[in-house]
Coordinates of all heavy atoms in Angstrom, one line a residue:
M1 N -55.1 -99.5 231.3 CA -54.3 -99.7 230.1 C -53.1 -98.7 230.1 O -52.0 -99.1 229.7 CB -55.2 -99.4 228.9 CG -54.5 -99.7 227.6 SD -54.6 -101.4 227.2 CE -54.2 -101.4 225.5
I2 N -53.3 -97.5 230.6 CA -52.2 -96.5 230.6 C -51.1 -97.0 231.6 O -50.0 -97.0 231.2 CB -52.7 -95.2 231.1 CG1 -53.6 -94.5 230.1 CG2 -51.6 -94.2 231.4 CD1 -54.4 -93.3 230.5
T3 N -51.5 -97.6 232.7 CA -50.5 -98.1 233.6 C -49.7 -99.2 233.0 O -48.5 -99.3 233.1 CB -51.2 -98.7 234.9 OG1 -52.0 -97.7 235.5 CG2 -50.2 -99.2 235.9
A4 N -50.4 -100.1 232.2 CA -49.6 -101.1 231.5 C -48.6 -100.6 230.5 O -47.5 -101.1 230.5 CB -50.6 -102.0 230.7
A5 N -48.9 -99.5 229.8 CA -48.0 -98.9 228.9 C -46.8 -98.3 229.6 O -45.7 -98.5 229.2 CB -48.7 -97.9 228.0
I6 N -47.1 -97.7 230.7 CA -46.0 -97.0 231.5 C -45.1 -98.1 232.1 O -43.9 -98.1 232.1 CB -46.6 -96.1 232.6 CG1 -47.2 -94.9 231.8 CG2 -45.5 -95.6 233.5 CD1 -47.9 -93.9 232.7
H7 N -45.7 -99.2 232.7 CA -45.0 -100.3 233.2 C -44.1 -100.9 232.2 O -42.9 -101.2 232.4 CB -45.9 -101.3 233.9 CG -45.2 -102.4 234.5 ND1 -44.8 -103.6 233.9 CD2 -44.7 -102.6 235.8 CE1 -44.2 -104.4 234.7 NE2 -44.1 -103.8 235.9
T8 N -44.7 -101.2 231.0 CA -43.9 -101.8 229.9 C -42.7 -100.9 229.5 O -41.6 -101.4 229.3 CB -44.8 -102.0 228.7 OG1 -45.9 -102.8 229.1 CG2 -44.1 -102.6 227.6
A9 N -43.0 -99.6 229.5 CA -41.9 -98.7 229.2 C -40.8 -98.7 230.2 O -39.6 -98.7 229.8 CB -42.4 -97.2 229.1
N10 N -41.1 -98.9 231.4 CA -40.1 -99.0 232.5 C -39.2 -100.2 232.4 O -38.1 -100.3 232.9 CB -40.8 -98.9 233.8 CG -39.8 -98.6 235.0 OD1 -38.8 -98.0 234.7 ND2 -40.2 -99.0 236.2
T11 N -39.7 -101.3 231.8 CA -39.0 -102.5 231.7 C -38.3 -102.8 230.4 O -37.9 -103.9 230.1 CB -39.9 -103.7 232.1 OG1 -41.0 -103.7 231.1 CG2 -40.5 -103.6 233.5
A12 N -38.3 -101.8 229.6 CA -37.6 -101.9 228.2 C -36.2 -102.3 228.4 O -35.5 -101.9 229.3 CB -37.8 -100.7 227.4
N13 N -35.7 -103.1 227.5 CA -34.3 -103.5 227.5 C -33.4 -102.4 227.1 O -33.4 -101.9 226.0 CB -34.1 -104.7 226.5 CG -32.7 -105.2 226.5 OD1 -31.8 -104.7 227.1 ND2 -32.5 -106.3 225.7
P14 N -32.5 -101.9 228.0 CA -31.7 -100.7 227.7 C -30.7 -101.0 226.6 O -30.2 -100.1 226.0 CB -31.0 -100.4 229.1 CG -31.2 -101.6 229.9 CD -32.4 -102.4 229.4
A15 N -30.4 -102.2 226.4 CA -29.4 -102.6 225.3 C -30.0 -102.2 223.9 O -29.2 -102.1 223.0 CB -29.0 -104.0 225.4
T16 N -31.3 -102.1 223.8 CA -31.9 -101.9 222.5 C -32.2 -100.4 222.3 O -32.7 -100.0 221.3 CB -33.2 -102.6 222.4 OG1 -34.1 -102.2 223.4 CG2 -33.0 -104.1 222.5
T17 N -31.9 -99.5 223.3 CA -32.2 -98.1 223.1 C -30.9 -97.4 222.6 O -29.8 -97.7 223.0 CB -32.7 -97.5 224.4 OG1 -31.7 -97.7 225.4 CG2 -34.0 -98.1 224.8
P18 N -31.1 -96.3 221.9 CA -29.9 -95.5 221.4 C -29.3 -94.8 222.6 O -29.8 -94.7 223.7 CB -30.6 -94.5 220.5 CG -32.0 -94.9 220.3 CD -32.3 -95.8 221.4
T19 N -28.0 -94.3 222.4 CA -27.3 -93.6 223.5 C -26.9 -92.2 223.1 O -26.8 -91.9 221.9 CB -26.1 -94.4 223.9 OG1 -25.2 -94.6 222.8 CG2 -26.4 -95.8 224.5
G20 N -26.6 -91.4 224.1 CA -26.0 -90.0 223.8 C -26.9 -89.1 223.0 O -28.1 -89.1 223.2
D21 N -26.2 -88.3 222.1 CA -26.9 -87.4 221.3 C -28.0 -88.1 220.4 O -29.0 -87.5 220.1 CB -26.0 -86.6 220.4 CG -25.1 -85.7 221.3 OD1 -25.5 -85.3 222.4 OD2 -24.0 -85.3 220.8
H22 N -27.7 -89.2 220.0 CA -28.6 -90.0 219.2 C -29.9 -90.3 219.9 O -31.0 -90.2 219.4 CB -28.0 -91.3 218.7 CG -28.8 -92.1 217.8 ND1 -29.2 -91.7 216.5 CD2 -29.5 -93.3 217.9 CE1 -30.0 -92.5 215.9 NE2 -30.2 -93.5 216.8
L23 N -29.8 -90.6 221.2 CA -30.9 -90.9 222.1 C -31.8 -89.6 222.2 O -33.0 -89.7 222.0 CB -30.5 -91.3 223.4 CG -31.6 -91.6 224.5 CD1 -32.6 -92.6 223.9 CD2 -31.0 -92.0 225.8
R24 N -31.2 -88.5 222.4 CA -32.0 -87.2 222.5 C -32.7 -86.9 221.2 O -33.9 -86.6 221.2 CB -31.1 -86.0 222.8 CG -31.9 -84.7 222.9 CD -31.1 -83.6 223.6 NE -30.8 -83.8 225.0 CZ -31.7 -83.7 225.9 NH1 -32.9 -83.3 225.7 NH2 -31.3 -83.9 227.2
A25 N -32.0 -87.2 220.0 CA -32.7 -86.9 218.7 C -33.8 -87.9 218.5 O -34.9 -87.5 218.0 CB -31.6 -87.1 217.6
E26 N -33.7 -89.2 219.0 CA -34.7 -90.2 218.9 C -35.9 -89.8 219.7 O -37.1 -89.9 219.3 CB -34.2 -91.5 219.2 CG -33.4 -92.2 218.2 CD -34.3 -92.7 217.0 OE1 -35.4 -93.3 217.2 OE2 -33.9 -92.4 215.9
V27 N -35.6 -89.3 220.9 CA -36.7 -88.9 221.9 C -37.5 -87.7 221.3 O -38.7 -87.7 221.3 CB -36.2 -88.6 223.3 CG1 -37.2 -87.9 224.1 CG2 -35.6 -89.9 223.9
E28 N -36.8 -86.8 220.7 CA -37.4 -85.6 220.1 C -38.3 -86.0 218.9 O -39.4 -85.6 218.8 CB -36.3 -84.6 219.6 CG -36.9 -83.4 218.9 CD -37.5 -82.4 219.9 OE1 -37.2 -82.4 221.1 OE2 -38.3 -81.6 219.4
K29 N -37.8 -87.0 218.1 CA -38.6 -87.5 217.0 C -39.8 -88.2 217.5 O -40.9 -88.0 216.9 CB -37.7 -88.4 216.2 CG -38.4 -89.0 215.0 CD -37.4 -90.0 214.3 CE -38.2 -90.8 213.3 NZ -37.3 -91.9 212.7
L30 N -39.7 -89.1 218.5 CA -40.8 -89.8 219.0 C -41.9 -88.8 219.6 O -43.1 -89.0 219.5 CB -40.4 -90.8 220.0 CG -39.6 -92.0 219.4 CD1 -39.0 -92.9 220.6 CD2 -40.6 -92.9 218.6
A31 N -41.4 -87.8 220.4 CA -42.2 -86.9 221.0 C -43.0 -86.1 220.0 O -44.2 -85.9 220.2 CB -41.4 -85.9 221.9
A32 N -42.4 -85.7 218.9 CA -43.1 -84.9 217.9 C -44.2 -85.8 217.3 O -45.3 -85.3 217.0 CB -42.1 -84.4 216.8
E33 N -43.8 -87.0 217.0 CA -44.8 -88.0 216.4 C -46.0 -88.2 217.4 O -47.2 -88.1 217.0 CB -44.2 -89.3 216.1 CG -45.1 -90.3 215.4 CD -44.4 -91.6 215.0 OE1 -43.2 -91.6 214.9 OE2 -45.2 -92.5 214.7
A34 N -45.7 -88.4 218.7 CA -46.8 -88.6 219.7 C -47.6 -87.4 219.8 O -48.9 -87.5 219.9 CB -46.1 -89.0 221.0
F35 N -47.0 -86.2 219.7 CA -47.8 -85.0 219.8 C -48.7 -84.8 218.6 O -49.9 -84.5 218.8 CB -46.8 -83.8 219.9 CG -47.5 -82.4 220.0 CD1 -48.1 -82.0 221.2 CD2 -47.6 -81.6 218.9 CE1 -48.7 -80.8 221.2 CE2 -48.2 -80.4 218.9 CZ -48.7 -80.0 220.1
H36 N -48.2 -85.1 217.5 CA -49.0 -84.9 216.2 C -50.1 -85.9 216.2 O -51.1 -85.7 215.5 CB -48.1 -84.9 215.0 CG -47.3 -83.7 214.9 ND1 -47.8 -82.4 214.7 CD2 -45.9 -83.6 215.0 CE1 -46.8 -81.6 214.7 NE2 -45.6 -82.2 214.9
Q37 N -49.9 -87.1 216.8 CA -51.0 -88.1 216.9 C -51.9 -87.8 218.1 O -52.8 -88.7 218.4 CB -50.4 -89.5 217.0 CG -49.7 -89.9 215.7 CD -49.1 -91.3 215.9 OE1 -49.6 -92.1 216.6 NE2 -48.1 -91.6 215.1
H38 N -51.7 -86.7 218.8 CA -52.5 -86.4 220.0 C -52.4 -87.4 221.1 O -53.4 -87.6 221.9 CB -54.0 -86.1 219.6 CG -54.2 -85.1 218.5 ND1 -54.0 -83.8 218.7 CD2 -54.4 -85.3 217.2 CE1 -54.2 -83.1 217.6 NE2 -54.4 -84.0 216.6
L39 N -51.3 -88.0 221.3 CA -51.1 -89.0 222.3 C -50.5 -88.3 223.6 O -50.7 -88.8 224.7 CB -50.1 -90.1 221.9 CG -50.5 -90.8 220.6 CD1 -49.5 -91.8 220.2 CD2 -51.9 -91.6 220.9
I40 N -49.8 -87.1 223.4 CA -49.3 -86.3 224.5 C -49.7 -84.9 224.2 O -50.0 -84.5 223.0 CB -47.8 -86.4 224.7 CG1 -47.0 -86.0 223.4 CG2 -47.4 -87.9 225.1 CD1 -45.5 -85.9 223.6
S41 N -49.7 -84.0 225.2 CA -50.1 -82.6 224.9 C -48.9 -81.6 224.9 O -49.1 -80.4 224.7 CB -51.1 -82.1 225.9 OG -50.7 -82.3 227.2
G42 N -47.7 -82.1 225.0 CA -46.5 -81.2 224.9 C -45.3 -82.0 225.2 O -45.3 -83.1 225.7
Y43 N -44.1 -81.3 224.8 CA -42.8 -82.0 225.1 C -41.7 -80.9 224.9 O -41.9 -79.8 224.4 CB -42.6 -83.1 224.0 CG -42.6 -82.6 222.6 CD1 -41.4 -82.3 221.9 CD2 -43.8 -82.5 221.9 CE1 -41.4 -81.9 220.6 CE2 -43.8 -82.1 220.6 CZ -42.6 -81.8 219.9 OH -42.6 -81.4 218.6
G44 N -40.5 -81.3 225.4 CA -39.4 -80.4 225.3 C -38.2 -80.8 226.2 O -38.3 -81.8 226.9
D45 N -37.2 -80.1 226.2 CA -36.0 -80.4 227.0 C -36.3 -80.3 228.5 O -37.1 -79.5 228.9 CB -34.8 -79.4 226.7 CG -34.3 -79.7 225.3 OD1 -34.3 -80.8 224.9 OD2 -33.8 -78.7 224.7
G46 N -35.7 -81.1 229.3 CA -35.9 -81.1 230.7 C -35.0 -80.1 231.4 O -34.3 -79.4 230.7
E47 N -35.0 -80.1 232.7 CA -34.2 -79.2 233.5 C -32.8 -79.5 233.4 O -31.9 -78.7 233.6 CB -34.7 -79.2 234.9 CG -36.1 -78.7 235.1 CD -36.7 -78.8 236.5 OE1 -36.0 -79.4 237.3 OE2 -37.8 -78.3 236.7
S48 N -32.4 -80.8 233.3 CA -31.0 -81.2 233.2 C -30.8 -81.9 231.8 O -31.7 -82.3 231.1 CB -30.6 -82.1 234.3 OG -31.2 -83.4 234.1
P49 N -29.5 -82.0 231.4 CA -29.2 -82.5 230.0 C -29.7 -84.0 229.8 O -29.9 -84.4 228.7 CB -27.7 -82.4 230.0 CG -27.3 -81.4 231.0 CD -28.3 -81.5 232.1
D50 N -29.8 -84.7 230.9 CA -30.2 -86.1 230.7 C -31.7 -86.3 231.0 O -32.1 -87.5 231.2 CB -29.4 -87.0 231.6 CG -29.5 -86.7 233.1 OD1 -30.0 -85.6 233.4 OD2 -29.2 -87.6 233.9
E51 N -32.5 -85.3 231.0 CA -33.9 -85.4 231.2 C -34.7 -84.8 230.0 O -34.2 -84.0 229.2 CB -34.4 -84.6 232.4 CG -34.0 -85.2 233.7 CD -34.6 -84.4 234.9 OE1 -35.0 -83.2 234.7 OE2 -34.7 -85.0 235.9
Y52 N -35.9 -85.3 229.8 CA -36.8 -84.8 228.8 C -38.2 -84.5 229.4 O -38.6 -85.3 230.3 CB -36.9 -85.8 227.7 CG -37.4 -85.2 226.4 CD1 -36.5 -84.4 225.6 CD2 -38.7 -85.3 225.9 CE1 -36.9 -83.8 224.4 CE2 -39.1 -84.7 224.8 CZ -38.2 -83.9 224.0 OH -38.6 -83.3 222.9
Q53 N -38.8 -83.5 229.0 CA -40.2 -83.1 229.6 C -41.2 -83.6 228.6 O -41.2 -83.3 227.4 CB -40.3 -81.6 229.8 CG -41.6 -81.2 230.4 CD -41.6 -79.7 230.7 OE1 -41.1 -79.3 231.7 NE2 -42.3 -79.0 229.8
I54 N -42.2 -84.3 229.2 CA -43.4 -84.7 228.4 C -44.6 -84.3 229.2 O -44.7 -84.5 230.4 CB -43.4 -86.2 228.2 CG1 -42.1 -86.7 227.5 CG2 -44.7 -86.7 227.4 CD1 -42.0 -88.2 227.4
V55 N -45.6 -83.6 228.5 CA -46.8 -83.2 229.2 C -47.8 -84.3 229.0 O -48.3 -84.6 227.9 CB -47.3 -81.8 228.6 CG1 -48.5 -81.4 229.3 CG2 -46.2 -80.8 228.7
L56 N -48.2 -84.9 230.1 CA -49.1 -86.0 230.2 C -50.3 -85.6 231.1 O -50.1 -85.1 232.2 CB -48.5 -87.3 230.7 CG -47.3 -87.8 230.0 CD1 -46.7 -88.9 230.8 CD2 -47.7 -88.3 228.6
Q57 N -51.5 -85.7 230.6 CA -52.7 -85.4 231.3 C -52.6 -84.0 231.9 O -53.0 -83.8 233.1 CB -52.9 -86.5 232.4 CG -53.1 -87.9 231.8 CD -53.2 -89.0 232.8 OE1 -52.6 -88.9 233.9 NE2 -53.9 -90.0 232.5
G58 N -52.1 -83.1 231.1 CA -52.1 -81.7 231.5 C -50.9 -81.3 232.5 O -50.9 -80.2 232.9
K59 N -50.1 -82.3 232.8 CA -49.0 -82.0 233.8 C -47.6 -82.2 233.1 O -47.4 -83.3 232.6 CB -49.1 -82.8 235.0 CG -50.4 -82.6 235.8 CD -50.5 -83.5 236.9 CE -51.9 -83.3 237.6 NZ -52.1 -84.3 238.6
P60 N -46.7 -81.3 233.2 CA -45.4 -81.5 232.7 C -44.6 -82.5 233.6 O -44.6 -82.3 234.8 CB -44.7 -80.1 232.7 CG -45.5 -79.3 233.6 CD -46.9 -79.9 233.7
R61 N -44.0 -83.5 233.0 CA -43.3 -84.5 233.8 C -41.9 -84.6 233.2 O -41.7 -84.6 232.0 CB -44.0 -85.8 233.8 CG -45.4 -85.7 234.4 CD -46.3 -86.9 234.0 NE -47.7 -86.6 234.2 CZ -48.5 -87.1 235.1 NH1 -47.9 -87.9 236.0 NH2 -49.7 -86.8 235.2
H62 N -40.9 -84.8 234.1 CA -39.5 -84.9 233.6 C -39.1 -86.3 233.8 O -39.2 -86.9 234.9 CB -38.6 -84.0 234.5 CG -38.9 -82.5 234.3 ND1 -38.3 -81.8 233.3 CD2 -39.9 -81.7 234.9 CE1 -38.8 -80.6 233.3 NE2 -39.8 -80.5 234.3
Y63 N -38.6 -86.9 232.7 CA -38.1 -88.3 232.7 C -36.7 -88.4 232.2 O -36.2 -87.5 231.4 CB -39.0 -89.1 231.7 CG -40.5 -89.2 232.1 CD1 -41.4 -88.5 231.3 CD2 -40.9 -89.9 233.2 CE1 -42.7 -88.5 231.7 CE2 -42.2 -90.0 233.5 CZ -43.2 -89.3 232.8 OH -44.5 -89.3 233.1
S64 N -36.0 -89.4 232.6 CA -34.7 -89.7 232.0 C -34.9 -89.9 230.5 O -36.0 -90.3 230.0 CB -34.0 -90.9 232.6 OG -34.7 -92.1 232.2
L65 N -33.9 -89.6 229.7 CA -34.0 -89.8 228.3 C -34.3 -91.3 227.9 O -35.2 -91.5 227.0 CB -32.7 -89.5 227.6 CG -32.3 -88.0 227.5 CD1 -30.9 -87.8 227.0 CD2 -33.4 -87.2 226.7
E66 N -33.8 -92.2 228.6 CA -34.0 -93.6 228.4 C -35.5 -94.0 228.6 O -36.2 -94.6 227.8 CB -33.2 -94.5 229.2 CG -31.7 -94.5 228.9 CD -31.0 -93.3 229.6 OE1 -31.6 -92.6 230.4 OE2 -29.8 -93.1 229.2
Y67 N -36.0 -93.5 229.8 CA -37.4 -93.7 230.1 C -38.4 -93.0 229.1 O -39.4 -93.6 228.7 CB -37.8 -93.3 231.5 CG -39.1 -93.7 231.9 CD1 -39.4 -95.0 232.4 CD2 -40.2 -92.8 231.8 CE1 -40.6 -95.4 232.8 CE2 -41.5 -93.2 232.2 CZ -41.7 -94.5 232.7 OH -43.0 -94.9 233.0
A68 N -38.1 -91.8 228.8 CA -38.9 -91.0 227.8 C -38.9 -91.7 226.5 O -40.0 -91.8 225.9 CB -38.3 -89.6 227.6
H69 N -37.8 -92.3 226.0 CA -37.8 -93.0 224.8 C -38.7 -94.2 224.8 O -39.5 -94.4 223.9 CB -36.3 -93.5 224.5 CG -36.1 -94.1 223.2 ND1 -36.3 -95.5 223.0 CD2 -35.8 -93.7 221.9 CE1 -36.1 -95.8 221.8 NE2 -35.8 -94.8 221.1
S70 N -38.6 -95.0 225.9 CA -39.4 -96.2 226.0 C -40.9 -95.8 226.1 O -41.7 -96.5 225.5 CB -39.0 -97.0 227.2 OG -37.7 -97.5 227.1
L71 N -41.2 -94.8 226.9 CA -42.6 -94.4 227.1 C -43.2 -94.0 225.8 O -44.3 -94.4 225.4 CB -42.6 -93.3 228.2 CG -44.0 -92.7 228.4 CD1 -45.0 -93.7 228.9 CD2 -43.9 -91.5 229.3
L72 N -42.5 -93.1 225.1 CA -43.0 -92.6 223.8 C -43.2 -93.7 222.8 O -44.2 -93.7 222.1 CB -42.2 -91.5 223.3 CG -42.2 -90.2 224.2 CD1 -41.0 -89.3 223.8 CD2 -43.5 -89.5 224.0
A73 N -42.2 -94.6 222.7 CA -42.3 -95.7 221.8 C -43.5 -96.6 222.1 O -44.2 -97.0 221.1 CB -41.0 -96.5 221.8
N74 N -43.8 -96.8 223.3 CA -44.9 -97.6 223.7 C -46.2 -96.9 223.4 O -47.2 -97.5 223.0 CB -44.9 -98.0 225.2 CG -44.0 -99.2 225.4 OD1 -44.3 -100.3 224.9 ND2 -42.9 -99.1 226.1
L75 N -46.3 -95.6 223.7 CA -47.5 -94.8 223.4 C -47.9 -94.9 221.9 O -49.0 -95.1 221.6 CB -47.3 -93.4 223.8 CG -47.3 -93.1 225.3 CD1 -47.0 -91.6 225.6 CD2 -48.7 -93.4 226.0
I76 N -46.8 -94.7 221.1 CA -47.1 -94.7 219.7 C -47.4 -96.1 219.2 O -48.4 -96.3 218.4 CB -45.8 -94.2 218.9 CG1 -45.6 -92.7 219.2 CG2 -45.9 -94.5 217.4 CD1 -44.3 -92.2 218.9
E77 N -46.7 -97.1 219.7 CA -47.0 -98.5 219.3 C -48.4 -98.9 219.7 O -49.1 -99.6 218.9 CB -46.0 -99.5 219.9 CG -46.3 -100.9 219.6 CD -45.3 -101.8 220.2 OE1 -44.2 -101.4 220.8 OE2 -45.5 -103.1 220.2
H78 N -48.9 -98.5 220.8 CA -50.2 -99.0 221.3 C -51.3 -97.9 221.1 O -52.4 -98.2 221.5 CB -50.1 -99.4 222.8 CG -49.2 -100.5 223.0 ND1 -49.4 -101.8 222.6 CD2 -48.0 -100.5 223.6 CE1 -48.4 -102.6 222.9 NE2 -47.5 -101.8 223.5
Q79 N -50.9 -96.7 220.6 CA -51.9 -95.7 220.4 C -52.7 -95.3 221.6 O -53.9 -95.2 221.5 CB -52.8 -96.0 219.2 CG -52.1 -96.2 217.9 CD -51.5 -94.8 217.4 OE1 -52.3 -93.9 217.2 NE2 -50.2 -94.8 217.2
I80 N -52.0 -95.2 222.7 CA -52.7 -94.8 224.0 C -52.6 -93.3 224.2 O -51.5 -92.8 224.3 CB -52.0 -95.5 225.2 CG1 -52.0 -97.0 225.0 CG2 -52.6 -95.1 226.5 CD1 -51.2 -97.8 225.9
S81 N -53.7 -92.7 224.2 CA -53.8 -91.2 224.4 C -53.7 -90.8 225.9 O -54.5 -91.3 226.6 CB -55.0 -90.7 223.7 OG -55.1 -89.3 223.9
L82 N -52.8 -90.0 226.2 CA -52.7 -89.4 227.6 C -53.1 -88.0 227.6 O -52.8 -87.3 228.6 CB -51.3 -89.7 228.2 CG -50.9 -91.1 228.3 CD1 -49.5 -91.2 228.8 CD2 -51.8 -91.8 229.2
V83 N -53.8 -87.5 226.6 CA -54.3 -86.1 226.5 C -55.7 -86.0 227.1 O -56.5 -86.8 226.8 CB -54.3 -85.6 225.1 CG1 -54.8 -84.2 225.0 CG2 -52.9 -85.7 224.5
E84 N -55.9 -85.0 228.0 CA -57.2 -84.8 228.5 C -58.0 -83.9 227.7 O -57.5 -83.0 227.1 CB -57.2 -84.3 229.9 CG -56.7 -85.4 230.9 CD -56.9 -84.9 232.3 OE1 -57.3 -83.8 232.6 OE2 -56.5 -85.8 233.2

């Protein structure tokens, strides 16, 4: 089921996702919501301006803002916990 959520996130329509600073703000909002719902165990800015760090299954992972947005939205929508 986790693989399905990640695969779905990877195929999200980019035309429906926010762009620029708005995208970063949306990702931050989704990450906070996912964290408070215990779906992820951490989050924060990535190493570069177009990346975001999400801690999944105890490991920090860096994703593009677009992918992070889709992944977090899917986790919240499907309530899939990736916390160990």
Side-chain angles (χ1 to χ4, degrees):
M1 185 88 165
I2 292 170
T3 304
I6 292 173
H7 182 272
T8 302
N10 195 27
T11 60
N13 181 353
T16 62
T17 59
T19 58
D21 292 336
H22 183 69
L23 177 58
R24 180 168 292 283
E26 280 291 312
V27 169
E28 180 74 23
K29 178 181 168 188
L30 290 170
E33 183 176 342
F35 178 77
H36 291 294
Q37 291 182 26
H38 305 285
L39 303 174
I40 62 174
S41 55
Y43 60 95
D45 290 327
E47 295 175 355
S48 70
D50 62 341
E51 286 186 341
Y52 201 77
Q53 178 176 285
I54 301 171
V55 182
L56 302 172
Q57 299 174 329
K59 298 178 184 172
R61 301 162 197 252
H62 297 268
Y63 299 108
S64 70
L65 289 174
E66 294 83 7
Y67 187 84
H69 183 273
S70 296
L71 174 63
L72 292 165
N74 277 297
L75 288 174
I76 292 166
E77 180 181 346
H78 299 292
Q79 296 292 302
I80 301 167
S81 177
L82 295 178
V83 176
E84 287 189 359

